Amino acid sequence: DVKVTQSSRYLVKRTGEKVFLECVQDMDHENMFWYRQDPGLGLRLIYFSYDVKMKEKGDIPEGYSVSREKKERFSLILESASTNQTSMYLCASSERRGRDGYTFGSGTRLTVV
Amino acid sequence: AQSVAQPEDQVNVAEGNPLTVKCTYSVSGNPYLFWYVQYPNRGLQFLLKYITGDNLVKGSYGFEAEFNKSQTSFHLKKPSALVSDSALYFCAVRGYGQNFVFGPGTRLSVLP
């Protein structure tokens, strides 16, 4: 069974900390994505990557960065966490053509205090 | 630009009754349309998709959706709702070569 694994289900961090959210997929997918989910706003795209070492900004990249050193791993970095980054973060992957849609991880609920 | 609307934040239906969760979209060219379901504190799970072919698409757990090109809609339906169908449902659309755009979600509550 294909899987997207996010390293943490719940995280609590302090304001100003540097935060790493890790995502690993075992499907050999080319494309990987990071979304945040907030009530009433749906899913908003933060960053995405179509290949190793490649990254593109999504709709809300401010305050975030990403790293994709290996095909199977896509990391989201909060450079200096703020309370408005408290949210559910979802990682997803897909094949290059994308006809089968995205496979999502279980999510990381991040609370910044 | 691509967009998705789910006009209802919340849908309540009695168990055993038919349910409909609405979705309309805007995209250039032919759309790829998907429905996902999310249970509490979980990621999104694929339900069904329309890429091409028959306008009525059948998916997981007895759900189906009808693609209506003239109304740019892709409503999710089920003939007989179960309490276990209670969840958050997302419609998503993409045009060729584009990333997906997700709707805001509709919370479905099936009452026993």
Side-chain angles (χ1 to χ4, degrees):
Chain A
D1 196 15
V2 296
K3 283 187 178 176
V4 176
T5 303
Q6 295 183 231
S7 54
S8 303
R9 292 294 305 277
Y10 300 95
L11 275 179
V12 180
K13 297 292 182 181
R14 294 193 181 277
T15 301
E17 278 193 77
K18 190 168 187 177
V19 181
F20 293 85
L21 302 183
E22 305 289 344
C23 176
V24 178
Q25 51 96 3
D26 64 1
M27 298 163 284
D28 202 34
H29 282 173
E30 292 84 1
N31 305 336
M32 296 189 75
F33 307 85
W34 274 106
Y35 288 89
R36 64 176 283 175
Q37 180 183 5
D38 300 288
L41 298 177
L43 275 68
R44 292 181 290 168
L45 183 62
I46 305 171
Y47 268 94
F48 61 98
S49 169
Y50 288 160
D51 204 347
V52 177
K53 305 280 187 180
M54 178 269 184
K55 59 186 177 184
E56 291 283 348
K57 293 180 180 179
D59 300 320
I60 52 164
E62 295 78 19
Y64 304 94
S65 63
V66 291
S67 173
R68 193 168 182 196
E69 297 295 320
K70 295 183 178 181
K71 187 176 185 180
E72 67 271 17
R73 185 180 297 271
F74 193 36
S75 303
L76 180 69
I77 303 158
L78 285 66
E79 297 291 343
S80 176
S82 64
T83 55
N84 62 14
Q85 292 179 309
T86 292
S87 186
M88 170 72 104
Y89 290 87
L90 294 169
C91 176
S93 72
S94 73
E95 294 181 341
R96 189 179 303 281
R97 294 182 183 275
R99 289 173 65 91
D100 288 332
Y102 295 173
T103 301
F104 283 87
S106 295
T108 296
R109 186 166 294 280
L110 173 68
T111 302
V112 182
V113 298
Chain B
Q2 304 177 129
S3 66
V4 178
Q6 293 180 243
E8 299 154 318
D9 294 334
Q10 174 95 27
V11 171
N12 297 321
V13 63
E15 188 174 28
N17 282 1
L19 70 87
T20 299
V21 182
K22 296 179 180 177
C23 172
T24 58
Y25 67 91
S26 174
V27 69
S28 298
N30 295 322
Y32 292 1
L33 291 157
F34 286 69
W35 276 101
Y36 289 87
V37 61
Q38 185 182 35
Y39 298 102
N41 295 313
R42 306 293 298 177
L44 276 67
Q45 299 176 27
F46 169 78
L47 268 184
L48 50 79
K49 66 179 179 182
Y50 172 83
I51 304 294
T52 186
D54 289 341
N55 290 343
L56 184 62
V57 177
K58 295 188 182 297
S60 308
Y61 313 119
F63 283 93
E64 58 189 28
E66 186 167 12
F67 170 60
N68 187 318
K69 187 172 184 178
S70 63
Q71 297 185 5
T72 61
S73 66
F74 190 56
H75 301 331
L76 181 70
K77 299 181 180 183
K78 187 173 182 181
S80 179
L82 301 173
V83 172
S84 58
D85 293 330
S86 298
L88 189 56
Y89 290 81
F90 290 96
C91 181
V93 67
R94 59 171 289 196
Y96 182 79
Q98 303 293 315
N99 290 328
F100 274 103
V101 171
F102 288 82
T106 298
R107 187 165 300 281
L108 173 67
S109 292
V110 181
L111 309 174

